[in-house]
Structure formats: C-alpha cells, structure tokens
C-alpha cells in the first residue's frame, strides 16, 4: 500500500508546476520545523521535570544522610557508653579479685599467725618445764650457779665447744677423704705401673726369646762356619804340605839350587799365618824357578839323553849348571 501511495504521490508531483512544488516543500519544511520545536519544548519540559526530580531526590538524600549521621552519632555514643560500662565492669571484677586475693592472703597470714601462736604457746609451756628444771639444777648447785643465766652461759660455752669439735671433726673427715682419694690414686697408679711393667716384662721376655732363637741360629751358623774353617784349614794344610814336598824335591838336585833365594824362613814353633803365607809364596816362586829350569833343560837336551833319565833328579845330576839356565 505504501508503494502504491508513493507512486500516486509521485504522479501528482510530476503533474504540478515547480512553484507549487516549492510551496509544498516549504510547507513540509515548516511542518518539520514546528514538529522539531514541539519536540524541543517537550524535551525542555522533560529536562526541567528531571532536574526537579533530581533536586527533590538530592534533598531527600541529604535528609537521609543527616538522619544517618545523627543515628551514627547516637550509635557511637551508645557504644562508647557500653565500652565504658564494660571497662568499669572489668575494673570492678579485677578489684573484686584483688580484694578476694588479699582476703585469702590475710586469711592465710592469720592462719599462719595462729599456728605460730600455738607453737609459741607450746614452746612457752616447754620452756616453763625447762625453766623449772634449770631452777632445780641451780637449787641443787647453789655454789656453782647463782642464777639461771649462769647455767645458760655454760650451755652456750658447751654448744660453742661442741660446734668447734664438730667443725674439727668435719675438717678431719675431709682430710681423711682427701688422703683416701690420694691413696686410691696412688694404688691405681701403682696398679697401672705394675700392669705396664708386666707388659714390658712380657715384651722383653718375647724379645729375649727372639734373641735366644737368633743366638741359637748364630751358634749353628758359627758351628757351620767353624766346620768349614776347619775343613779349609785342613785343605790349606794339605796344600802347604804339598808345596813343602815339591820344594824339598826341587831342592834335592846338586847342580840346580834356588834355595839360597828363599827370603822367608819360619821357625818350627811359629804359627803366624801371615808369615807362613809369605814363606809359601816364596817357596812357590822358587818352585816356579825350578820348573822353568827343568823346562829349559828339557827343551835344550837331546832326545837320547832324555831317554836315559828316568826322572828330573837324574836329569839334574847329568846336566851341568853351565847350560845358561835362567
């Protein structure tokens, strides 16, 4: 329907003149302007109503806030009063507790004083009996005690002497304890020393056994060495005898004689090994000289002459010394 209405309106506008259309547009503009003014007035009226409402609400809010502040003040005052009342109650309770404690202490003190009074009464009763006893003692010994104070003075002296004796006894017991402690320490030290000495004795015994074993081993070794030495001495004796035999056999020849070259000649009873060794070496040197001579003789002699000689002795007798033997 709107499309048809707009089409009809468009046909009408197409058929009217431009002036009419201008007037129509002005009319429409005035209508729009009037509608805008009416709407503007309506908005202004609404804004005024809103502002009035806002002012009213603000005034009501301020009133409520003032009432709330007043109510808060009242509440704070009530709380302060309640706090003061509670503090006062607590203080009163503390005061009551302190009074009760003080009362209890006083009651205990009264009870203690009553107990002391009872004890003093008993002591006075006992002292009366003691006083009667002292009076009887004074009456029986009027020459020694004229008053009860004399007996008390004597008792004080005896107590003082007793205290001194007890003190001396305590000192003697302490000294005795110290002496016992020193004795125990000495006994312990002696036991430790004896134990240490026993340990050392055991160690020394073990060392002695080891040394004895070594000594036996050394004795065995010495016996072995002695046996070897005897064997070597026998061998050396045989060698010396062989050398002496060779020396004597070499000296039997009349033509060749090196015995005059012997430098060392020992006495039969002399047993000096060094001298014997020098003599033997000298004899070996002479034997070597004889052997060199015999070697030279053999080399320079004819084979027929050597066949006639059965030994070196015969050879030395046949050949003269003038063969330039060196």
């Amino acid at each position: 329907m709107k499309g048809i209405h707009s089409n009809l309106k468009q046909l009408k506008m197409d058929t009217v003149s431009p002036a009419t259309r201008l007037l129509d547009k002005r009319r429409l503009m005035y209508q729009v302007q009037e509608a805008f003014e009416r709407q503007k007035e309506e908005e202004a009226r609404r804004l005024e109503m809103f502002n009035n409402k806002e002012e009213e609400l603000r005034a009501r809010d301020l009133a409520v806030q003032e009432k709330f502040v007043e109510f808060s003040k009242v509440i704070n005052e009530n709380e302060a009063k309640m706090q003061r009342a509670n503090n006062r109650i607590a203080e009163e309770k503390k005061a009551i507790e302190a009074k009760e404690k003080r009362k209890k202490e006083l009651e205990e003190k009264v009870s203690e004083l009553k107990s002391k009074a009872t004890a003093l009464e008993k002591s006075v009763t006992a002292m009366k009996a003691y006083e009667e006893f002292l009076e009887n003692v004074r009456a029986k010994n009027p020459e020694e005690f004229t008053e009860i104070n004399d007996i008390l003075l004597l008792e004080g002296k005896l107590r003082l002497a007793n205290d001194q004796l007890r003190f001396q006894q305590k000192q003697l017991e302490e000294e005795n304890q110290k002496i016992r402690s020193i004795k125990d320490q000495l006994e312990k030290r002696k036991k430790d020393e004896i134990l240490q000495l026993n340990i050392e004795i055991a160690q020394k015994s073990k060392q002695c056994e080891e040394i004895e074993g070594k000594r036996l081993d050394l004795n065995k070794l010495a016996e072995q060495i002695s046996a070897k030495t005897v064997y070597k001495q026998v061998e050396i004796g045989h060698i010396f005898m062989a050398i002496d035999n060779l020396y004597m056999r070499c000296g039997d020849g009349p033509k060749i004689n090196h015995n005059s070259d012997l430098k060392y000649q020992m006495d039969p009873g002399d047993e000096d090994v060094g001298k014997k060794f020098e003599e033997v070496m000298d004899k070996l040197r002479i034997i070597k000289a004889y052997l060199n001579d015999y070697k030279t003789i053999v080399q320079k002699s004819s084979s027929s002459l050597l066949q006639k000689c059965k030994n070196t002795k015969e050879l030395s007798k046949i050949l003269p010394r003038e063969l330039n033997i060196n």
Side-chain angles (χ1 to χ4, degrees):
M1 293 295 291
K2 287 183 179 180
I4 296 170
H5 183 70
S6 62
N7 290 329
L8 292 174
K9 192 175 182 179
Q10 184 67 30
L11 290 173
K12 288 180 180 181
M13 290 294 295
D14 292 337
T15 57
V16 295
S17 62
T20 304
R21 282 185 287 181
L22 179 62
L23 290 173
D24 189 37
K25 287 182 179 180
R26 285 182 179 179
R27 183 179 59 79
L28 290 174
M29 185 181 67
Y30 288 145
Q31 290 177 356
V32 171
Q33 183 69 28
E34 289 177 357
F36 177 74
E37 290 295 333
R38 285 194 301 271
Q39 189 176 3
K40 185 177 180 181
E41 290 176 358
E42 183 68 22
E43 290 294 330
R45 186 177 61 79
R46 289 180 180 178
L47 181 61
E48 185 178 0
M49 289 176 63
F50 177 76
N51 289 331
N52 293 330
K53 190 70 174 178
E54 184 180 5
E55 290 293 333
E56 184 181 357
L57 291 174
R58 187 174 295 172
R60 291 175 64 183
D61 184 55
L62 289 174
V64 170
Q65 288 182 0
E66 289 177 358
K67 289 182 180 180
F68 180 75
V69 170
E70 291 177 358
F71 183 71
S72 296
K73 288 181 180 179
V74 173
I75 290 173
N76 290 330
E77 289 177 357
N78 291 332
E79 288 181 354
K81 290 179 181 180
M82 186 179 292
Q83 185 66 32
R84 287 195 296 271
N86 291 330
N87 293 334
R88 184 66 180 274
I89 291 169
E91 290 176 357
E92 291 294 333
K93 286 183 179 180
K94 288 181 180 179
I96 291 169
E97 290 177 357
K99 295 293 183 181
E100 291 291 337
K101 186 177 180 181
R102 179 63 178 169
K103 179 182 176 182
K104 188 176 181 180
E105 290 177 355
L106 291 174
E107 288 177 353
E108 291 177 354
K109 194 170 183 180
V110 168
S111 178
E112 185 179 356
L113 291 173
K114 286 181 179 179
S115 299
K116 287 183 178 180
T118 304
L120 288 173
E121 288 177 358
K122 291 180 180 179
S123 178
V124 168
T125 304
M127 289 295 178
K128 286 182 179 179
Y130 182 63
E131 184 179 3
E132 291 176 358
F133 173 75
L134 292 177
E135 185 64 30
N136 292 329
V137 171
R138 188 193 64 77
K140 290 180 181 179
N141 301 287
E143 295 178 357
E144 296 181 3
F145 307 108
T146 58
E147 295 179 356
I148 295 176
N149 289 330
D150 296 336
I151 300 173
L152 295 175
L153 290 173
L154 180 60
E155 182 189 7
K157 291 179 181 179
L158 292 174
R159 285 182 181 275
L160 181 61
N162 188 19
D163 293 337
Q164 290 177 354
L165 290 173
R166 288 179 181 275
F167 180 72
Q168 291 177 359
Q169 182 182 4
K170 186 177 180 181
Q171 287 182 340
L172 291 173
E173 288 178 355
E174 290 177 354
E175 291 179 359
N176 188 17
Q177 186 67 27
K178 290 180 181 178
I179 292 170
R180 286 182 179 178
S181 178
I182 294 170
K183 178 185 175 184
D184 294 337
Q185 291 178 0
L186 290 174
E187 288 179 354
K188 184 178 179 181
R189 188 182 301 171
K190 290 296 181 183
K191 288 180 181 179
D192 293 338
E193 290 178 356
I194 291 169
L195 181 61
Q196 185 66 28
L197 290 173
N198 290 331
I199 293 171
E200 291 180 358
I201 289 169
Q203 292 177 353
K204 295 296 183 182
S205 299
K206 186 176 180 180
Q207 291 178 0
C208 289
E209 291 176 358
E210 292 177 355
I211 292 170
E212 183 66 21
K214 290 180 180 179
R215 187 185 67 79
L216 293 174
D217 294 337
L218 291 174
N219 287 334
K220 290 180 181 179
L221 182 62
E223 290 176 358
Q224 293 175 0
I225 293 171
S226 178
K228 290 181 180 180
T229 303
V230 171
Y231 180 74
K232 292 293 182 182
Q233 288 178 354
V234 171
E235 287 184 349
I236 291 170
H238 291 165
I239 292 169
F240 285 172
M241 290 174 65
I243 291 170
D244 289 337
N245 188 16
L246 289 173
Y247 176 74
M248 291 174 65
R249 292 181 65 183
C250 290
D252 289 341
K255 300 296 182 180
I256 302 173
N257 187 7
H258 291 287
N259 293 337
S260 60
D261 297 334
L262 186 63
K263 296 179 181 180
Y264 299 97
Q265 187 71 33
M266 290 181 63
D267 296 332
D270 194 356
E271 295 182 356
D272 190 353
V273 178
K275 291 181 180 180
K276 184 66 177 176
F277 181 76
E278 291 177 356
E279 182 183 3
V280 169
M281 292 301 294
D282 199 12
K283 288 180 179 180
L284 287 172
R285 182 180 59 78
I286 294 171
I287 291 169
K288 181 181 179 182
Y290 276 113
L291 291 175
N292 289 330
D293 290 342
Y294 288 136
K295 182 179 179 181
T296 304
I297 291 169
V298 171
Q299 289 176 354
K300 291 184 178 183
S301 298
S302 61
S303 59
S304 59
L305 182 61
L306 292 174
Q307 290 177 358
K308 293 179 181 180
C309 299
K310 295 180 180 180
N311 51 32
T312 56
K313 187 175 182 180
E314 293 179 357
L315 183 62
S316 62
K317 290 179 179 179
I318 295 172
L319 296 176
R321 190 172 176 80
E322 288 83 6
L323 291 175
N324 296 325
I325 298 173
N326 293 324

